[in-house]
Amino acid sequence: AGTSAMTGNDHAIQISVDSKGNYYLLDQQLPRDEIVKRAIAKRGENPNLAITLSGDTHAGDGAVMSMMGKLKDVGFQRVGLRTQMYDNK
């Protein structure tokens, strides 16, 4: 199997949302719809493609849910949220 320029593997795409609601594919800031378009193209190469979505702790839920909803709307079944454990000390 080859590697994806998007993630370094053929199995997953990592999308993130910063505190201002900007979307990133790896370290590249892109509009939401451009990221979705690239994900659709990548899915053509791998129908089992998974997407992991993570948001900055200060990112509004709306930006994260907007991306998740758009991906689901175009048929992605494997969209997960990446979470981080916090130390309450």
Side-chain angles (χ1 to χ4, degrees):
T3 61
S4 166
M6 288 192 204
T7 62
N9 69 55
D10 287 333
H11 307 293
I13 293 175
Q14 172 64 47
I15 299 168
S16 58
V17 183
D18 71 10
S19 62
K20 296 177 183 173
N22 297 311
Y23 298 105
Y24 292 83
L25 185 59
L26 294 179
D27 292 331
Q28 185 178 14
Q29 182 181 342
L30 296 167
R32 182 193 69 176
D33 291 345
E34 178 62 24
I35 291 175
V36 171
K37 184 171 28 170
R38 290 182 186 201
I40 290 168
K42 192 66 185 166
R43 182 179 58 192
E45 299 170 20
N46 179 2
N48 296 317
L49 186 68
I51 297 178
T52 303
L53 184 58
S54 61
D56 182 277
T57 56
H58 300 289
D61 289 340
V64 174
M65 297 313 289
S66 174
M67 177 61 83
M68 182 173 267
K70 185 69 172 178
L71 291 165
K72 293 283 189 174
D73 286 349
V74 298
F76 282 94
Q77 301 300 315
R78 299 179 64 195
V79 180
L81 288 175
R82 184 174 182 204
T83 59
Q84 181 176 354
M85 298 295 290
Y86 291 96
D87 186 359
N88 292 329
K89 292 182 183 179

